[in-house]
Amino acid sequence: MVHAVTVDPYQGEGGMVTIYGPTAGPVPCFIDDTRAMVRTMAGDTVVSETTLYVVDKAWTGSFPPESIVHLPGRDATVIKVSNRDSGDLGLPDHLKIALT
């Protein structure tokens, strides 16, 4: 992969603060800064400014919605994660991560 990011995984809310896990990474990925309409896990339609493609499936649990992703030059929030698994087809499996 040609890019790398780090991620602070969202863990929930506690009192009056948002709780994040320890920063993970660097995560090898491809960053696509193309604007797109996506649906959140709640079904709302929002604008995604960036999509990450991660080939290493070891990172599957590291990007829950609302996590903070540290991109080169800015931070973004995870909107949703799609697990692209080709099964027996032998195509490249990857994670597609929509970011703010």
Side-chain angles (χ1 to χ4, degrees):
M1 296 268 97
V2 296
H3 304 114
V5 298
T6 57
V7 59
D8 299 338
Y10 176 79
Q11 293 186 332
E13 302 291 327
M16 300 179 111
V17 297
T18 303
I19 302 170
Y20 296 98
T23 301
V27 180
C29 63
F30 177 76
I31 300 171
D32 181 5
D33 283 324
T34 302
R35 186 174 291 156
M37 298 295 287
V38 297
R39 290 209 185 267
T40 67
M41 300 307 272
D44 300 323
T45 302
V46 298
V47 175
S48 170
E49 297 290 338
T50 301
T51 303
L52 292 184
Y53 296 93
V54 178
V55 175
D56 186 350
K57 297 297 264 301
W59 295 102
T60 298
S62 298
F63 293 89
E66 310 226 13
S67 297
I68 303 297
V69 177
H70 306 285
L71 302 160
R74 71 181 183 95
D75 293 341
T77 304
V78 174
I79 299 170
K80 79 175 203 177
V81 178
S82 301
N83 186 351
R84 306 296 186 173
D85 188 346
S86 67
D88 294 334
L89 293 176
L91 300 172
D93 298 336
H94 62 279
L95 301 174
K96 180 180 178 183
I97 304 163
L99 305 174
T100 57

